[in-house]
Amino acid sequence: MLSLFAHENPQDWDDNIPYLLMAYRSTEHASTKCSPNLLMLGREVTMPIDLIAGPPPEETEHYCPIQYVEWLKSAMATAFDFENEHLKVAAKIQKRNYDIGLRERGYEVGDWVWRWYPPDAGQKLKLRWTGPYLVVNKISPLTYGIQKSIHVRPLSVHVDHIKPYEGQHPPENWLAPQPDISILTEDDIDEISHEIDISHHSATPSPVKTRVGRIVKPREMYSPS
């Protein structure tokens, strides 16, 4: 919540922290069904609207200190019991919903992805997804090689730390297109192999210059052709 607010209000987010915390602490959580104020203080705090409108007539009764302490202990015990029951139910519901949406994720070489790595975000309250990165290698079903640009070293990351890049204009793919071997004929394969063999044997070793200035010609590899 704080990270999203700081991202949308980068200039004055720190001036609004007290109001953001007030809203967070007075909001009922979906899992506990209680607000942080109730669990921490045993009661809801007085909000600005309460100061304007005043308390309801039935809440104007004042307790003596001893009565208030006893009431507070009872209220907090009741609140914690209520919270624990709802947390158990919420945990089961959240696990069930997570398992329903669980799908095996996979990427292909050439796909663009975001990478989850908070230190690369630069600032603590910035969004933690960095990139985009290009998938350059599929090491295993759970590990991928990604690269941010052609000038940096590829990284090996777990599939849980990346997600698809869905931008309308993805960056340029610098990977050379690979021929589809499944659609090549035997003649095509023989021709490619012949070209590779010719380029391999026609390469002439370059002379090497030593530190004292002498030029040493590398030995040539014997080829029966």
Side-chain angles (χ1 to χ4, degrees), residues 55-132:
E58 62 272 11
E59 296 184 3
T60 56
E61 182 180 358
H62 298 282
Y63 296 97
C64 72
I66 297 178
Q67 288 179 322
Y68 177 76
V69 170
E70 294 299 326
W71 172 85
L72 182 61
K73 290 170 60 178
S74 175
M76 295 193 72
T78 302
F80 277 104
D81 292 340
F82 183 81
E83 176 209 22
N84 288 332
E85 290 297 326
H86 281 81
L87 276 178
K88 295 176 183 178
V89 175
K92 294 180 180 179
I93 295 176
Q94 291 170 5
K95 182 183 184 306
R96 182 193 62 191
N97 294 339
Y98 179 83
D99 292 342
I100 291 176
L102 189 61
R103 297 290 185 274
E104 183 178 354
R105 290 176 294 172
Y107 302 92
E108 300 295 335
V109 174
D111 291 346
W112 288 95
V113 295
W114 293 107
R115 180 195 180 199
W116 172 261
Y117 189 63
D120 272 1
Q123 297 183 19
K124 185 175 182 179
L125 296 178
K126 289 289 186 179
L127 299 181
R128 310 302 174 87
W129 291 97
T130 61

Side-chain angles (χ1 to χ4, degrees), residues 16 21 24-25 35 52 54 58 67 69-70 72 85 94 99 103 108 120 139 176 186-187 192 194-195 211-212 223:
N16 295 281
L21 293 178
Y24 177 81
R25 293 166 180 166
S35 68
I52 296 175
E58 62 272 11
Q67 288 179 322
V69 170
E70 294 299 326
L72 182 61
E85 290 297 326
Q94 291 170 5
D99 292 342
R103 297 290 185 274
E108 300 295 335
D120 272 1
I139 303 173
E186 293 184 2
D187 294 338
I192 294 175
H194 181 66
E195 292 178 356
R211 289 185 296 176
V212 297
S223 175

Side-chain angles (χ1 to χ4, degrees), residues 6 21 28 76 80 87 104 107 116 118 131 138 143 149-150 166-169 183 187 191 204-205 209 214:
L21 293 178
E28 179 183 294
M76 295 193 72
F80 277 104
L87 276 178
E104 183 178 354
Y107 302 92
W116 172 261
K138 185 175 182 180
T143 309
S149 75
I150 194 174
E166 299 178 351
Q168 296 182 354
H169 305 288
I183 62 175
D187 294 338
E191 183 178 354
T204 302
K209 190 174 184 180
R214 292 188 301 173

